[in-house]
Amino acid sequence: MKIAVDAMGGDNAPQVIIEGVEQARDLYPDLEFDLYGNPDKVKPLIKNNDRLNMIATTEEISMGEEPVRAIRRKKDSSIVRAATAVKDGKADAFFSAGNTGAILAAGLFIVGRIKGIDRPGLTSILPIAQPGANRHNFVYLDTGANAESKEKNLEQYAYLGKFYAENVLGVANPRIALLNNGAEEDKGDKLHKEVWQILNSKDDLNFVGNVEAGDLLFGKADVIVSDGWTANAALKATEGTAKMMMTLIKHGILHGGLRAKLGYLMLKPTFHQIGQKMSASTYGGAVLLGLKAPVVKTHGSSDALAVKNTISQIRTMLKTGVIEKTVEFFDNTENLDNSNKNE
Amino acid sequence: MKIAVDAMGGDNAPQVIIEGVEQARDLYPDLEFDLYGNPDKVKPLIKNNDRLNMIATTEEISMGEEPVRAIRRKKDSSIVRAATAVKDGKADAFFSAGNTGAILAAGLFIVGRIKGIDRPGLTSILPIAQPGANRHNFVYLDTGANAESKEKNLEQYAYLGKFYAENVLGVANPRIALLNNGAEEDKGDKLHKEVWQILNSKDDLNFVGNVEAGDLLFGKADVIVSDGWTANAALKATEGTAKMMMTLIKHGILHGGLRAKLGYLMLKPTFHQIGQKMSASTYGGAVLLGLKAPVVKTHGSSDALAVKNTISQIRTMLKTGVIEKTVEFFDNTENLDNSNKNE
């Protein structure tokens, strides 16, 4: 299995990208990597060339660039070249920590959608933080690939999330929920009311109803489906609040005198556990689900551990054939609502 | 100044309502209260009748009831009677910890909107948690009175929030921001792009641009304006994450042995401070802004402190004449966009 790696994307690239890739390479003998980037910058960082191929590119897409224009114009950028390799069957998956919009655009316009999928959904794996919960994480989409969504999109996200949870997370009969502004069937705007009815009508979905944004991390479902606008706001609020709580604790310790500092030393293992549980690095990257191959991105600020974990996630996607199973499902017209297909 | 109190609403009513009201009464010699409720339940709880008048009602609206039907049918409920007293000028403000939907409906249909206001916005006062910030809280609306909003509604929320911040929080020239999915001017769906342009065009608004949901508590603005759907999701995610972080810390302490318990004792003042900063009780209740009088609700789970703080907030609204100033502004047609007025 070969992964096409954008070696130039991310705040700490190429350093942490190469570190993480080498860690994953040492861990998984069945993986091979093509590293797309500037050889002058990348090659000196490589410790061991085993199963790492350097592929020279001359352009870079920076974090602030307008995505669609960037991938159209910078044909020799690491993102465009790596995505093209996947499209041409020269690699099995795409990995980057770079410009999110450019990765989404490269996935959509170069790697391409699965037949029958209208709009791929950006998918995060988030922690189930509730102590004592049976499972440690859940599937959450669309976290922001699309600012405006239709009923059909959310229906497709439910199936994309279901296949991911079954195959990659190993959840049997995953519980599917809809993010909404209340628990009851009749909550939400027109879109969410209709999606509730559609999901509830499907015999092949274990639909458990609505979940509110306040319950995201509480383990009420294995897949939480949402339009990209709402999921994005709730995800950012969740991340921002967790960050703020950690800031407040640190500030309290720094300004709490000797007593607080001693308390911190004693509670260090607890804080470490919480930090790990709530950290994005622990659960891998965000997957643009609905494409013909794994296209996965990590935070721009990712460290080598996050890179390694994300590559491990890509490997599981490849080994379990989650995308092939998704393709097969959407290829079978009987699995799809006819009223939706004819739109 | 007289406040009409729904003594029956809330998980711990009438007990904590009466406690909180008596605390506020003892603190503020200029306040008087009419307590609407079942005298058999309320009277035995009253310690001192000074400036407390019991007004007997025979019905209650429970937490689960369909709001609009409930306020139409239960004419002798504590919510309907208290709201009617405000409408009839027998009281200056309405307070309840009961069924949110019923309170909103009573505010809208009984107390009534300010002339020129299309849709009142549910307004929360949230903490600016960022250590070292100049201010301790900000105004956030609409947190969920309306699931679907138009440009005009968000424009009006900006002014409602501005008047509230100036008068009740005492902020000179408050910074107004728009909750959006990115910082740049061109971010968001059609609604948010247009609202950005409208707010940016107003000379009498200190518009500071977009704020993302991850930055809610970071003090980037004094008023954050949003459609009710998005603000509600981001608020619930914020509250849920703060709660989850506290749960994880408690769990870590309980299962961390003697070391963790000692650490907890030493960090207790820090945790207490954080808990207080992040607690809804600290900042008062949610105001349905855009009505002819203060209509304010606290969480159903409020304690006496939250009730007392919310009454203090209502008193500030009354003393500063924030509603009269809002009425005056919306009465002056020149202050409003003509294209909006003619819709």
Side-chain angles (χ1 to χ4, degrees), chain B residues 85-100:
Chain B
V86 174
K87 180 198 161 205
D88 294 343
K90 291 177 188 158
D92 303 298
F94 170 96
F95 167 82
S96 174
N99 180 319
T100 305

Side-chain angles (χ1 to χ4, degrees), chain B residues 253-306:
Chain B
I253 289 162
L254 279 170
H255 295 78
L258 185 61
R259 175 178 161 171
K261 285 180 190 71
L262 281 172
Y264 166 67
L265 285 178
M266 290 179 172
L267 275 176
K268 214 171 164 180
T270 301
F271 289 135
H272 180 74
Q273 254 183 351
I274 296 173
Q276 204 171 28
K277 185 169 258 186
M278 300 295 282
S279 161
S281 307
T282 310
Y283 305 94
V287 185
L288 189 57
L289 277 183
L291 298 182
K292 289 175 184 162
V295 168
V296 185
K297 76 162 292 278
T298 55
H299 270 277
S301 60
S302 292
D303 54 12
L305 175 69

Side-chain angles (χ1 to χ4, degrees), chain B residues 154-171:
Chain B
L154 273 80
E155 180 190 344
Q156 296 187 342
Y157 296 157
Y159 286 100
L160 291 171
K162 171 190 154 92
F163 291 126
Y164 191 93
E166 280 176 350
N167 291 283
V168 186
L169 305 187
V171 188

